[in-house]
Amino acid sequence: MNKRLYYSVFDVVNWITHNRKIKQDTGWGRLVITMHDLLKSAGYELVNSPHEADLEFYVGQPPFCLRPQMHPSITLSMFETDRLPKIWTESFNRWDVIINPSNWGRDCFRQSGVTKPIYVLPLPIDFDKFRYCEHAAGSWTFIAQAVQLLDRKRADLVVEIFKSGKMPSDARLIVKTTPAR
């Protein structure tokens, strides 16, 4: 097993923190920190340079990192629609291995032309923060998550649908956003 790992996600975290003013209390920020902690607990030494590493592991999207800085290389990434932009497909085909958190995501990557090996690894869940709870039979809960109500995920539209009265009477909406800064 390779032990020295260049975990190149911190470039993305640095960009987000300084340019978009988003702290690491978003879902993506939590994933970055959780993956960091899991890699360290698995015995990987996280190094600051690809020249010191045996393997590069990048967590993020291609616009922030179009190609690996070394080989072997792994990227964990996801996308929210069923077709990747061409530049993303080209970028993924430069990596040795791609990890996606769902079978659906893997299939979308394949249909978009990604030819490299793609493995499915569900995202980690912190069960101390997210506990399972039973729901009443017949009730329906929809969870919408976005950084802000009006961000690209458009949680505001989900809220409007619920407010319109078009949902079943036992439907419940939970909207999770990050407070404005």
Side-chain angles (χ1 to χ4, degrees):
M1 172 163 85
N2 295 327
K3 285 294 197 180
R4 291 178 307 169
L5 189 70
Y6 176 53
Y7 186 51
S8 57
V9 71
F10 288 107
D11 297 337
V12 174
V13 173
N14 185 51
W15 185 89
I16 290 172
T17 301
H18 290 95
N19 295 305
R20 290 183 53 199
K21 307 294 187 239
I22 296 174
K23 295 185 179 177
Q24 295 170 0
D25 59 353
T26 63
W28 187 254
R30 287 188 190 115
L31 171 64
V32 167
I33 298 304
T34 300
M35 291 302 297
H36 173 273
D37 295 346
L38 289 171
L39 291 166
K40 286 188 80 161
S41 70
Y44 286 96
E45 176 189 353
L46 304 182
V47 297
N48 295 321
S49 163
H51 305 294
E52 306 170 54
D54 300 311
L55 172 70
E56 178 177 3
F57 182 52
Y58 171 72
V59 178
Q61 280 89 16
F64 302 109
C65 184
L66 291 174
R67 62 184 43 83
Q69 296 184 47
M70 64 173 291
H71 291 280
S73 61
I74 299 171
T75 181
L76 184 156
S77 194
M78 60 199 87
F79 197 62
E80 298 160 333
T81 69
D82 61 357
R83 289 188 189 91
L84 294 175
K86 182 180 178 189
I87 194 169
W88 284 46
T89 300
E90 292 167 354
S91 173
F92 285 133
N93 282 327
R94 293 181 183 121
W95 293 82
D96 296 315
V97 171
I98 295 99
I99 298 172
N100 191 283
S102 71
N103 291 324
W104 177 85
R106 178 202 56 216
D107 296 345
C108 292
F109 280 30
R110 279 278 173 252
Q111 292 167 5
S112 294
V114 176
T115 59
K116 295 293 182 156
I118 304 172
Y119 295 91
V120 174
L121 178 66
L123 298 176
I125 297 172
D126 183 343
F127 288 104
D128 291 331
K129 291 182 181 177
F130 302 100
R131 296 200 173 135
Y132 175 79
C133 61
E134 293 289 333
H135 294 281
S139 67
W140 189 81
T141 302
F142 186 86
I143 300 174
Q145 181 172 348
V147 174
Q148 298 173 1
L149 277 178
L150 296 174
D151 77 356
R152 64 184 169 74
K153 295 183 181 180
R154 298 299 311 262
D156 60 316
L157 296 177
V158 177
V159 171
E160 288 304 314
I161 290 170
F162 269 80
K163 287 168 71 176
S164 73
K166 296 179 182 175
M167 299 303 294
S169 61
D170 64 348
R172 207 170 65 137
L173 172 63
I174 299 172
V175 179
K176 192 251 182 232
T177 63
T178 302
R181 297 198 181 9

